Amino acid sequence: MESKAVFTHLANLLQFCIDKKAHLSGKILHGYIFRNGLSADTFLSNRLIKFYSKCGDTSTARHLFDKMPLKNIFSWHAMLDGYCKASKLKDAHEVFAAMPERNTVSWNTLISALVRSGFEREALDVYHLMNLEGFMPTNFTLASVFSACGAFVDVDCGRECHGVAIKIGLDKNVFVANALLCMYAKCRGIDDAIQAFGDLSIPNEVSFTAMMGILAESGRVEEAFSMFRTMHRTGIRIDSVSLSSVMGVCAKDGSGEFGITSESYGFPSNMHGQQIHGLTVKLGFERDLHLINSLLDMYAKKGDMTSAAVFFNNLPETSVVSWNIMIGGYGQKHDIEKALDYMQRMLYQGFEPDDVTYINMLVACIKSGDIEIGRRIFDRMLCPSLSSWNAIISGYSQSENHIDAIKLFREMQFREVPPDRTTLSIVLSSCAGMGLLEGGKQLHAASIRALFHMDIYLASGLIGLYSKCHKIEMAKCIFNKMPELDIACWNSMIAGLSLNSLDKEAFSLFKQMLGKGLLSTQFSYAIILSCCANLSSLSQGRQIHAQIAKDGYMNDVFVGSALINMYAKCGDVDGAREFFDEMPFRNIVTWNEMIHGYAQNGRGEEAVSIYEDMIESGEEPDAIAFVAVLTACSHSGLVDMGIEIFNSMKLKHGVDPLVDHYTCIIDALGRAGRFHEAEALIDRMPYKDDPIIWEVLLSSCRVHANVSLGRIAAEELFRLDPQNSAPYVLLGNIYSSLGRWEEAKVVRKLMSDKQVSKNPGYSWAEPKNRMEVDLNDDYRMMVDEFEAANL
């Protein structure tokens, strides 16, 4: 009896050492057990193995295990559990394979360890083996398996396991059901999740919280709030986790489609958030730091930085997370000064910035367009993370400073920081922007080495690169070899075909995309409308317009701008204006398209009128707007109005005139025969070596038979662009029109001596929705121009 009491006392002492991880005390007990010859006892040895495993000393635990004369299933489980908790999965596999007998606990221990360590596929393989050996899964098994399916985004396997849960009656188990909901959330199986939630007889706070997250992520914000209200009304305990989750829902609320927010209906955009804030105070969670940060994040994501600042300044305590939220919030508002101010205050109060702080600051600088400050912040970082590298490279790429983006990428390689798919995609975009084909090919090779070449995200970037470098066959090859394609890949390929003047192929591919059941995006419609415009196919453009209305994109400002461009280029400028007047939202692109549409169709006065309406609406014209309105003035003979608008560019709107603006004004003056003013403008402009300027002037000289100025313009073009046939044709035509045949022959001979050839012309028509092109390979225009000279 006394011996049994000693055993019980020793076992209790060992359990105490296990619970408290009392390593030294446990070793003393081990010494006592060894000295008193009790080491052969299986029960005490199992406790010792568990103790050493809990203290992280698996080598001693394994030594004890190997020395045990008699092992039972608990001995094997103790060793297996020790290796699993220490994440020594290779050793765990060895122990598992050597077990003389296994039960459900053995399988569960290994499966859960694999899931915890990120080996989800291996965990699923072990689960399938468990089924083959005839073991029935428990609630712990299924919870781990659902977690693996979610992490691996394997919804088919998840549904199969869901069926198993129903078959063995575990689908009603709250523990299993909650894991099932989380799995469907990660796999975007919103309908499956709703059905699984409905099957729960008694959902708990975890079930409701999971469903709120699923609905919010799917954009069904009101349903997520309804779920929270149901949870509240049914008396289910609301904890800080539930409140933090619903706060995430509040952050998404009101960011409606097409720019429509809850404020449009007279409610504050963060109304729900304010209500949950009040509930937080009522339930006494106002000092919970995690929840406080969720509240702060909600105000910041809603763009209500005034409320966020008031709330932040009254916090009883803050953390690095709190400061990061404020810096990130001001960054999203493009307020770089406030973001810098909060970072300085953070440092002053003794908080050490982390990687998130620097990334938020970098994003703030990039969004504010201040890449120089962003670079200074980046250079201060001793060991920038991959996210920091991606942020600063992206900043350079977005600001079209592609050379520095590529230089930084090279520096990143020298520092042996391995790129991810985001890095490669950003740098591919810069290579495409520069037309740097060789650099893009090297990145393609790097993506193959890093096993990213079948990545959908990267594939769209590669298609874009080869398309912009006019290697459309290579782009097609990548597109056709992808085992799976998302909407971004389809859009990239359609855009690439259009960019390479293959608009009919682009249209055909768009139809294929719709046939496969993919839903078009705003970008898809903008591209295909551009194709219709390039093909001057009004009938197909109207069909796309009808589809846009059906899909609910009529209020999208970018799609609307593309529609205006399509109608105007197809000659239906009144249809473009009708749609323009109906648009609820407009931006500078929309106004520019409408002005340009009138300009293209020779309706200059209306173009000037809508330009004036744009200024009156408060929209500031940009360089493109001035090109459009000056073109309209030029084509409609509104010379004085054009000069007035040109002079107002810098004085009233702060826009420096570019070569295109000078070209428009010189064209207007030349068409009107005001050559002295045109010459004076050319003398003082900074773009004297641009061939387009001289070609425009020469064309006007041909109309007005201005031989002296025409000869000067032609000579400048011979110098600047010697292989361009236009100046020879135009100068020769000036001489021909005046009967100066000998001089016309001299020009033609000069053209022949320099081996300058004229590209063939073409004509097109659109009978019954198809394009027919007639190439004129016989230099018909050239013969017409010089027919008189051949007499």
Side-chain angles (χ1 to χ4, degrees):
M1 194 70 183
E2 185 181 343
S3 175
K4 187 179 179 182
V6 170
F7 266 77
T8 304
H9 186 59
L10 285 171
N12 290 338
L13 286 173
L14 278 171
Q15 188 60 51
F16 176 83
C17 293
I18 291 166
D19 294 339
K20 301 295 183 183
K21 292 185 183 179
H23 196 212
L24 182 60
S25 300
K27 289 178 79 173
I28 292 168
L29 277 173
H30 186 186
Y32 178 83
I33 290 166
F34 180 78
R35 283 195 305 273
N36 286 277
L38 301 174
S39 299
D41 184 81
T42 303
F43 181 76
L44 289 177
S45 293
N46 288 346
R47 284 287 171 96
L48 281 168
I49 291 167
K50 195 171 182 182
F51 158 71
Y52 281 114
S53 297
K54 190 71 179 283
C55 293
D57 189 356
T58 51
S59 57
T60 304
R62 183 59 187 264
H63 178 74
L64 274 170
F65 177 79
D66 291 338
K67 293 290 185 183
M68 285 179 70
L70 292 171
K71 302 181 183 76
N72 59 16
I73 194 166
F74 298 106
S75 314
W76 288 94
H77 280 165
M79 198 64 246
L80 177 65
D81 189 57
Y83 278 136
C84 286
K85 284 179 177 171
S87 296
K88 295 184 175 181
L89 298 180
K90 185 180 177 182
D91 294 316
H93 265 291
E94 287 176 2
V95 170
F96 183 80
M99 289 178 77
E101 62 174 310
R102 302 183 189 119
N103 60 16
T104 307
V105 175
S106 322
W107 292 95
N108 287 349
T109 302
L110 185 59
I111 291 168
S112 63
L114 288 166
V115 172
R116 281 197 310 272
S117 300
F119 295 98
E120 291 86 8
R121 178 52 67 195
E122 289 81 356
L124 293 175
D125 290 340
V126 173
Y127 167 70
H128 292 312
L129 187 61
M130 175 184 178
N131 287 335
L132 287 173
E133 293 197 11
F135 287 93
M136 186 73 71
T138 67
N139 56 341
F140 296 108
T141 320
L142 290 172
S144 294
V145 168
F146 285 137
S147 179
C149 292
F152 211 71
V153 196
D154 191 344
V155 73
D156 292 330
C157 182
R159 287 193 181 115
E160 182 186 321
C161 296
H162 188 178
V164 171
I166 294 169
K167 184 178 178 181
I168 62 178
L170 283 174
D171 56 313
K172 301 292 190 289
N173 180 283
V174 174
F175 185 60
V176 173
N178 290 341
L180 179 66
L181 288 174
C182 291
M183 182 274 293
Y184 281 131
K186 289 175 182 175
C187 295
R188 308 288 181 188
I190 178 69
D191 294 326
D192 293 308
I194 290 170
Q195 184 177 342
F197 182 82
D199 291 341
L200 277 172
S201 53
I202 310 175
N204 63 7
E205 66 272 18
V206 178
S207 319
F208 275 100
T209 301
M211 274 310 299
M212 282 189 290
I214 294 167
L215 290 165
E217 283 298 317
S218 304
R220 297 161 73 162
V221 175
E222 280 304 323
E223 289 178 65
F225 279 121
S226 177
M227 189 67 65
F228 181 74
R229 284 192 287 269
T230 303
M231 178 183 177
H232 196 201
R233 280 198 301 268
T234 51
I236 291 173
R237 186 177 70 91
I238 295 174
D239 58 12
S240 60
V241 176
S242 307
L243 287 168
S244 182
S245 179
V246 79
M247 206 58 67
V249 177
C250 295
K252 293 178 180 293
D253 180 37
S255 54
E257 265 189 309
F258 316 126
I260 301 170
T261 67
S262 54
E263 287 178 305
S264 308
Y265 300 98
F267 299 107
S269 65
N270 58 351
M271 179 183 67
H272 286 304
Q274 289 172 344
Q275 290 174 342
I276 302 300
H277 190 170
L279 182 61
T280 300
V281 175
K282 182 180 177 181
L283 295 175
F285 288 115
E286 66 269 24
R287 300 189 74 84
D288 185 297
L289 188 56
H290 176 72
L291 186 54
I292 282 169
N293 287 335
S294 296
L295 277 164
L296 196 60
D297 187 55
M298 181 274 298
Y299 283 120
K301 282 182 177 169
K302 296 299 295 179
D304 185 3
M305 291 310 296
T306 304
S307 298
V310 170
F311 182 55
F312 179 85
N313 292 331
N314 288 294
L315 289 178
E317 65 172 315
T318 57
S319 65
V320 173
V321 174
S322 317
W323 289 98
N324 287 347
I325 290 167
M326 293 302 294
I327 292 167
Y330 281 115
Q332 292 296 324
K333 297 282 283 185
H334 303 187
D335 192 341
I336 184 66
E337 289 183 9
K338 281 281 189 182
L340 282 168
D341 176 54
Y342 270 83
M343 187 173 181
Q344 287 166 354
R345 285 171 57 188
M346 174 185 181
L347 293 166
Y348 180 75
Q349 293 192 23
F351 289 93
E352 189 66 32
D354 61 9
D355 195 49
V356 176
T357 317
Y358 287 116
I359 291 170
N360 283 353
M361 275 306 310
L362 286 173
V363 170
C365 294
I366 291 160
K367 284 185 175 290
S368 304
D370 201 334
I371 194 70
E372 289 182 13
I373 293 178
R375 182 58 186 268
R376 286 204 294 271
I377 289 168
F378 178 80
D379 289 340
R380 260 190 253 157
M381 299 169 71
L382 294 175
C383 188
S385 68
L386 179 58
S387 299
S388 305
W389 282 101
N390 287 347
I392 190 67
I393 294 170
S394 176
Y396 279 119
S397 185
Q398 287 175 31
S399 61
E400 298 189 1
N401 190 343
H402 300 305
I403 293 173
D404 281 335
I406 292 169
K407 281 180 179 176
L408 261 177
F409 176 66
R410 293 293 302 276
E411 186 182 335
M412 179 180 171
Q413 290 177 301
F414 290 139
R415 293 204 202 177
E416 297 182 348
V417 179
D420 64 0
R421 64 178 194 161
T422 303
T423 324
L424 293 172
S425 182
I426 295 165
V427 183
L428 272 173
S429 177
S430 284
C431 288
M434 293 175 67
L436 195 61
L437 180 60
E438 287 306 313
K441 284 180 176 178
Q442 290 173 22
L443 285 168
H444 192 175
S447 73
I448 293 170
R449 284 197 302 273
L451 302 178
F452 286 133
H453 59 294
M454 287 299 174
D455 184 275
I456 296 176
Y457 182 68
L458 200 58
S460 61
L462 285 166
I463 292 166
L465 165 83
Y466 286 117
S467 299
K468 287 176 183 175
C469 293
H470 304 293
K471 297 292 181 182
I472 192 66
E473 293 304 320
M474 191 65 193
K476 287 180 185 178
C477 183
I478 291 167
F479 180 83
N480 292 328
K481 283 186 176 180
M482 287 299 294
E484 185 182 350
L485 295 164
D486 64 358
I487 190 65
C489 289
W490 284 93
N491 285 346
S492 190
M493 192 67 246
I494 294 166
L497 289 167
S498 180
L499 184 67
N500 285 270
S501 303
L502 298 169
D503 295 292
K504 290 179 76 176
E505 280 190 51
F507 208 96
S508 175
L509 195 66
F510 177 74
K511 287 180 180 177
Q512 283 183 46
M513 183 184 84
L514 296 181
K516 290 183 180 291
L518 274 82
L519 296 175
S520 300
T521 63
Q522 297 96 316
F523 187 57
S524 312
Y525 283 125
I527 300 164
I528 210 63
L529 284 168
S530 176
C531 291
C532 294
N534 294 338
L535 292 168
S536 296
S537 180
L538 184 59
S539 57
Q540 289 181 325
R542 283 176 174 155
Q543 289 174 27
I544 299 297
H545 189 168
Q547 187 65 41
I548 288 166
K550 183 180 176 183
D551 288 351
Y553 286 112
M554 290 293 284
N555 290 338
D556 185 89
V557 70
F558 298 105
V559 174
S561 301
L563 270 167
I564 291 167
N565 175 57
M566 184 275 296
Y567 277 116
K569 279 190 175 176
C570 292
D572 186 7
V573 71
D574 291 322
R577 180 58 189 264
E578 185 180 342
F579 181 74
F580 175 86
D581 290 337
E582 290 173 357
M583 288 181 71
F585 309 103
R586 300 181 188 125
N587 62 9
I588 186 64
V589 176
T590 318
W591 287 99
N592 289 352
E593 291 292 2
M594 197 63 247
I595 297 167
H596 190 61
Y598 277 129
Q600 282 178 312
N601 287 272
R603 291 163 67 168
E605 290 182 359
E606 287 159 293
V608 171
S609 174
I610 203 163
Y611 162 77
E612 290 170 347
D613 289 344
M614 177 180 76
I615 293 172
E616 193 175 328
S617 74
E619 189 76 61
E620 271 297 314
D622 60 4
I624 297 169
F626 283 114
V627 169
V629 72
L630 291 173
T631 301
C633 292
S634 170
H635 290 181
S636 301
L638 304 174
V639 185
D640 293 327
M641 176 59 73
I643 291 169
E644 183 183 329
I645 291 170
F646 179 80
N647 291 334
S648 73
M649 285 180 65
K650 183 67 177 174
L651 291 173
K652 289 186 179 179
H653 305 287
V655 178
D656 290 315
L658 303 173
V659 64
D660 290 340
H661 304 114
Y662 282 102
T663 303
C664 290
I665 287 298
I666 289 164
D667 184 42
L669 292 167
R671 284 171 186 254
R674 293 160 64 168
F675 291 110
H676 291 298
E677 293 172 75
E679 283 186 89
L681 184 59
I682 290 172
D683 285 340
R684 68 172 187 267
M685 76 176 188
Y687 303 105
K688 293 183 181 65
D689 285 339
D690 188 277
I692 300 297
I693 294 281
W694 295 106
E695 193 169 323
V696 165
L697 185 63
L698 178 56
S699 181
S700 297
C701 291
R702 172 184 177 271
V703 173
H704 293 278
N706 188 331
V707 179
S708 58
L709 186 57
R711 188 186 296 114
I712 293 169
E715 287 171 355
E716 286 292 333
L717 281 168
F718 296 157
R719 178 179 66 85
L720 295 169
D721 193 3
Q723 291 303 306
N724 183 3
S725 62
Y728 298 94
V729 172
L730 290 169
L731 183 60
N733 200 42
I734 292 173
Y735 288 132
S736 300
S737 65
L738 295 172
R740 295 163 68 165
W741 313 118
E742 290 302 321
E743 289 163 293
K745 284 182 180 179
V746 169
V747 173
R748 189 177 181 202
K749 185 176 184 303
L750 180 63
M751 184 177 181
S752 178
D753 291 344
K754 290 189 175 181
Q755 297 182 336
V756 177
S757 61
K758 184 185 181 302
N759 293 327
Y762 66 87
S763 61
W764 56 263
E766 187 201 356
K768 295 182 180 178
N769 300 338
R770 73 180 188 275
M771 182 67 65
E772 292 182 357
V773 178
D774 174 32
L775 290 175
N776 304 307
D777 295 319
D778 58 351
Y779 293 91
R780 197 171 296 141
M781 188 179 293
M782 179 70 78
V783 171
D784 292 341
E785 298 279 355
F786 290 105
E787 188 176 7
N790 291 326
L791 295 175

